[in-house]
Amino acid sequence: MENQERLMDDMIKVKDIERHFKAHAGILTDYQYASALQYSLEKTKGKIKNISARLTKAVEDKQKWIREQQASQGHMKEEMVPEWFEEHKEFRDNKSQRMEELSEEMKREREQLLKELRG
């Protein structure tokens, strides 16, 4: 809401920004989108007549800037992942492995029971 005056002066509805954000979900991270929005509001001279068109251009510009940054670095930087996420991933992987093992054990028990019933 740092640019609240600009929104009111240009009669821009937050609902219109929200719709645009949802329509472009996944293109940029939330932080990148917020950065593009803030940059647009701060740097666009004159009245913004069509916020959707302005934000679409801002998203395109941000994507271009990101690509250029990645190209200049030669590779994409890895995103920092919190330790708890890695622990949870390991837990899920182990759980999946335990389920496979349990399934194999259940298969053997089933075979044994079938042998006993036939036998």
Side-chain angles (χ1 to χ4, degrees):
M1 292 281 86
E2 291 177 18
N3 296 293
Q4 188 172 8
E5 274 186 45
R6 175 71 191 252
L7 295 174
M8 290 187 320
D9 289 346
D10 290 357
M11 293 184 284
I12 297 170
K13 297 175 185 166
V14 173
K15 192 173 193 175
D16 292 336
I17 295 171
E18 182 182 8
R19 272 193 220 118
H20 188 274
F21 172 73
K22 288 179 179 179
H24 293 80
I27 294 174
L28 299 174
T29 66
D30 293 354
Y31 176 79
Q32 291 167 339
Y33 188 90
S35 173
L37 170 61
Q38 182 177 359
Y39 186 83
S40 288
L41 293 174
E42 290 174 358
K43 300 298 181 184
T44 302
K45 296 184 189 308
K47 184 175 181 177
I48 298 174
K49 296 175 184 170
N50 184 336
I51 190 63
S52 182
R54 181 65 206 111
L55 288 175
T56 299
K57 176 73 169 115
V59 167
E60 291 169 358
D61 290 347
K62 188 70 170 184
Q63 286 179 300
K64 180 181 175 185
W65 181 85
I66 290 169
R67 284 191 302 271
E68 289 170 357
Q69 292 299 309
Q70 290 170 347
S72 71
Q73 294 174 356
H75 58 77
M76 211 167 120
K77 286 188 176 181
E78 284 191 36
E79 186 174 1
M80 291 184 61
V81 179
E83 187 176 312
W84 62 263
F85 184 82
E86 290 297 333
E87 290 169 357
H88 181 71
K89 183 178 180 227
E90 185 177 320
F91 173 79
R92 284 191 335 255
D93 293 345
N94 288 340
K95 182 179 178 183
S96 176
Q97 184 179 358
R98 287 192 306 271
M99 291 301 290
E100 288 176 16
E101 290 171 0
L102 180 60
S103 296
E104 290 299 319
E105 186 177 324
M106 290 176 76
K107 287 178 189 176
R108 287 192 296 276
E109 287 180 16
R110 179 176 174 263
E111 290 300 319
Q112 183 63 31
L113 286 171
L114 286 172
K115 282 182 185 177
E116 290 175 9
L117 288 173
R118 288 184 197 137

